[in-house]
Amino acid sequence: MKQLLVVFTGGTIGSKKQGNGIDVNDAGSYSLIDDYINSAEQRDDVRIDAIQPLNLLSENMTTEDWIALAEAVHGIDTESYAGIVITHGSDTLAYSAAMIGYLFADTKIPIVLTASNYPVADERSNGRRNFANAIDFVVDAQLPGVFVVYEDDKGDALVYLATRVTQAMSFTDQFGSPYGVPYGKMADRVFNWLEHERNPRPEALITKPKASFAWEPATLKLDSSIVYIRPYPGLNYSLYDFTTIRPKAILHDLHHSGTASAIEAGPYSLPAFIANCKKLGIDVYICPIRDRSAALYSSSLRLIEAGAIVIEKLSVEAAITKLMLAYGLYDDKAQAKAFVTESVLYHEHNEV
């Protein structure tokens, strides 16, 4: 008999329809366990305990909530459990997964995040199946690490490494991954690893490296003074006035080819914006770039020449959470930069 711990945080998977809307409900989370126990997916070889450190819709998640979740997971006696399942809202699942992946990269047991597209009581919901597949993954794979399990629109229960899952799409509710490569999938309660040049082999996860950094819940800081900007034609940088309140860093997204506006001067010029931020002491990072050593467009090179710091091989979700962690850990900007661009914490570089 394997003992599992479920960590409820709210989200759609812990919500109920209330009037014309959907909201978290005190009974919603725990009713998921009852629903699972009374379903065909229920396993006879597991026992489930549960805690609920948070109860919110995930669009309302803050860095303080991440710290509360991290404190709860940190306090778990992992010798008593075969694995941990964290139920979460789908809206910010990719960000929370990356953060938990960084903080618990050296976990000795599987930590699996999952979510639901509709409240569990809705017949369209994949929540109970996602929950069941997360449990099956813990029992069958027995892989240490942090993962996401979520059923796609084809009915495949996909498994992702926590730092390699990207936000669900607005119109399809489908999660993704860089290069479209999940870590594997569940089928008939068995984990099937996807053999791919970018996926670490399962046995490589068993040999756990030492944690890249030390942290304690009482002193953990995650810095929310990070601004994220996404490019589009006509983006007017003069609307960003940081003379009064200044972020510590900016993450500027890029088009698929690793580019953004490289006009030399004027309100639409990203190089001019980067130069102005440098004068104000604000670090500007650009992401995603597949490989800095590969040939880049001249516009990309102009951004780098202007002072942009390249984060390569990371998804935006993995990059922004790593920045929040780095600038929370280090007051020295050089240390924060090295942490973001040089360290590999938990498979966030999309390569083996």
Side-chain angles (χ1 to χ4, degrees):
M1 185 71 68
K2 294 187 182 295
Q3 196 82 10
L4 274 65
L5 180 68
V6 177
V7 180
F8 293 121
T9 68
T12 300
I13 198 168
S15 298
K16 290 187 175 182
K17 185 176 181 181
Q18 302 181 48
N20 293 325
I22 296 171
D23 205 348
V24 289
N25 182 280
D26 289 339
S29 295
Y30 287 89
S31 65
L32 174 63
I33 294 178
D34 294 334
D35 193 55
Y36 169 74
I37 289 173
N38 293 306
S39 72
E41 291 97 346
Q42 186 259 349
R43 300 184 68 106
D44 295 326
D45 56 350
V46 300
R47 294 180 60 184
I48 299 173
D49 292 336
I51 60 173
Q52 185 158 10
L54 300 172
N55 191 26
L56 74 163
L57 294 174
S58 73
E59 60 266 32
N60 299 323
M61 189 75 69
T62 68
T63 51
E64 288 78 11
D65 296 319
W66 275 339
I67 291 172
L69 176 57
E71 182 177 7
V73 175
H74 189 274
I76 294 168
D77 178 11
T78 55
E79 297 295 327
S80 300
Y81 295 101
I84 298 168
V85 175
I86 300 174
T87 63
H88 196 284
S90 57
D91 279 357
T92 59
L93 174 67
Y95 298 103
S96 293
M99 186 62 76
I100 296 299
Y102 293 143
L103 294 174
F104 296 95
D106 61 343
T107 179
K108 296 178 181 178
I109 64 173
I111 300 174
V112 185
L113 291 88
T114 194
S116 181
N117 56 348
Y118 294 98
V120 174
D122 191 313
E123 63 180 12
R124 298 169 296 175
S125 174
N126 60 14
R128 190 188 69 225
R129 294 192 299 275
N130 288 336
F131 184 66
N133 281 311
I135 291 173
D136 289 341
F137 174 78
V138 168
V139 174
D140 178 69
Q142 299 184 46
L143 288 175
V146 187
F147 307 88
V148 170
V149 173
Y150 193 86
E151 180 185 273
D152 68 8
D153 55 359
K154 300 179 180 67
D156 291 330
L158 301 181
V159 179
Y160 303 90
L161 293 169
T163 58
R164 295 189 183 185
V165 60
T166 54
Q167 278 294 90
M169 299 296 291
S170 296
F171 296 101
T172 64
D173 300 329
Q174 301 302 299
F175 288 95
S177 58
Y179 297 99
V181 180
Y183 191 58
K185 68 179 180 179
M186 298 299 299
D188 298 322
R189 297 191 167 185
V190 175
F191 171 62
N192 297 279
W193 172 63
L194 175 60
E195 186 171 358
H196 190 277
E197 62 181 357
R198 300 186 184 279
N199 273 341
R201 301 189 68 85
E203 51 266 30
L205 302 186
I206 297 172
T207 305
K208 301 301 297 179
K210 291 184 179 179
S212 301
F213 63 100
W215 66 274
E216 292 293 333
T219 56
L220 178 62
K221 294 180 181 178
L222 302 175
D223 203 315
S224 60
S225 59
I226 310 296
V227 170
Y228 169 61
I229 300 175
R230 189 170 183 176
Y232 58 88
L235 172 56
N236 189 335
Y237 293 100
S238 68
L239 298 175
Y240 291 90
D241 183 0
F242 299 129
T243 54
T244 304
I245 301 176
R246 299 177 186 177
K248 289 186 179 177
I250 293 168
L251 178 63
H252 198 294
D253 205 335
L254 301 172
H255 300 301
H256 76 96
S257 55
T259 64
S261 173
I263 298 170
E264 186 175 346
Y268 308 117
S269 170
L270 179 51
F273 175 73
I274 294 168
N276 186 55
C277 287
K278 286 184 66 178
K279 292 177 183 177
L280 296 173
I282 303 168
D283 295 333
V284 179
Y285 293 80
I286 55 175
C287 172
I289 286 182
R290 286 190 289 266
D291 187 347
R292 184 173 177 171
S293 64
L296 298 176
Y297 283 89
S298 60
S299 53
S300 305
L301 296 174
R302 283 198 287 272
L303 303 182
I304 298 171
E305 290 167 359
I309 304 166
V310 175
I311 302 177
E312 60 179 345
K313 301 182 176 71
L314 269 69
S315 69
V316 166
E317 293 85 351
I320 198 166
T321 46
K322 198 171 185 181
L323 282 167
M324 289 179 169
L325 180 57
Y327 282 81
L329 287 173
Y330 302 106
D331 293 325
D332 182 83
K333 290 193 172 186
Q335 287 183 289
K337 174 186 173 183
F339 183 86
V340 171
T341 60
E342 298 175 16
S343 68
V344 179
L345 307 180
Y346 183 70
H347 308 290
E348 65 269 27
H349 280 196
N350 287 283
E351 59 183 15
V352 176

